[in-house]
Amino acid sequence: MSLAIVPGSFDPMTLGHLALVKKAAKKYDRVIVAVMVNPAKRYTFDEKTRMEIAKKTVAELPNVQVISDRGLLIDLFDRTGATVVCKGWRNRSDYAYELKMAEWNKTHNPRFRTELYKSEGKYANLSSTEVRTLLAEGKVPEDLVHPDALPILLESLKF
Ligand code: PNS
């Protein structure tokens, strides 16, 4: 049974993230979306809200499960018996950053395997930052997040 982890801050999860999760869910038997919590990092959406948004976003995919984790990805990888970690990239700086992370993880856990997917099509340049920017300007990011996740997102900001 193959298992892919798709980790991220998901602050919040976008339709770009969903496109990546769909690719992983097609290729691997099971997918774990890991909403990572870094206590040193400030998020716009709290852990519970990021989880709820992620769950609504991937609800249509039967082999995908959403969890949250506060530790290192290399430990989550072993604990879940994962086959691979799937991450997306949009541009050269994303790619360079992801390569560096993949190398770091491999150095600290030789079993660790990363697959990098280029974002394509309609959501190729979409980011959580863009969603947060629109929200800060009082605009509803309708086409950028899953319609079922939108009410949770707006409610949490008391939009
Ligand atoms: O959505 P992002 O910002 O690309 O997600 C980054 C994330 C959460 C995947 C990355 O920060 C991460 O792997 N966090 C878990 C902690 C960890 O394993 N750190 C190792 C590198 S120092």
Side-chain angles (χ1 to χ4, degrees):
M1 172 83 95
S2 59
L3 170 65
I5 299 177
V6 180
S9 304
F10 303 120
D11 190 30
M13 184 178 267
T14 67
L15 291 176
H17 293 128
L18 177 59
L20 169 66
V21 174
K22 279 183 176 168
K23 284 181 195 168
K26 229 181 212 176
K27 184 162 174 187
Y28 296 100
D29 297 325
R30 275 182 61 213
V31 174
I32 290 179
V33 169
V35 176
M36 302 306 283
V37 183
N38 177 350
K41 206 168 154 183
R42 276 177 171 267
Y43 301 96
T44 297
F45 299 96
D46 63 21
E47 180 182 347
K48 182 171 164 276
T49 307
R50 286 187 286 132
M51 285 280 289
E52 280 176 9
I53 290 169
K55 279 183 183 166
K56 286 282 185 196
T57 306
V58 303
E60 66 199 78
L61 305 169
N63 59 338
V64 179
Q65 174 195 354
V66 180
I67 64 159
S68 70
D69 194 82
R70 290 167 188 277
L72 290 177
L73 218 42
I74 48 174
D75 295 331
L76 182 66
F77 194 87
D78 283 345
R79 218 164 50 241
T80 54
T83 313
V84 68
V85 160
C86 300
K87 293 221 68 185
W89 61 279
R90 292 158 297 197
N91 47 47
R92 282 170 61 164
S93 76
D94 268 4
Y95 189 75
Y97 174 77
E98 293 302 342
L99 267 191
K100 217 172 75 182
M101 292 286 280
E103 269 169 31
W104 191 92
N105 286 320
K106 182 88 183 158
T107 302
H108 291 83
N109 180 351
R111 221 176 63 75
F112 203 97
R113 202 162 71 80
T114 307
E115 259 174 17
L116 299 180
Y117 292 79
K118 186 177 187 331
S119 305
E120 289 157 332
K122 214 167 148 190
Y123 306 116
N125 288 304
L126 176 51
S127 65
S128 297
T129 307
E130 186 183 343
V131 171
R132 294 196 300 269
T133 303
L134 287 171
L135 287 166
E137 292 300 322
K139 297 188 196 312
V140 177
E142 250 167 347
D143 302 329
L144 310 184
V145 300
H146 195 286
D148 294 344
L150 199 56
I152 302 168
L153 194 138
L154 299 180
E155 171 59 26
S156 84
L157 295 177
K158 299 280 178 282
F159 212 71

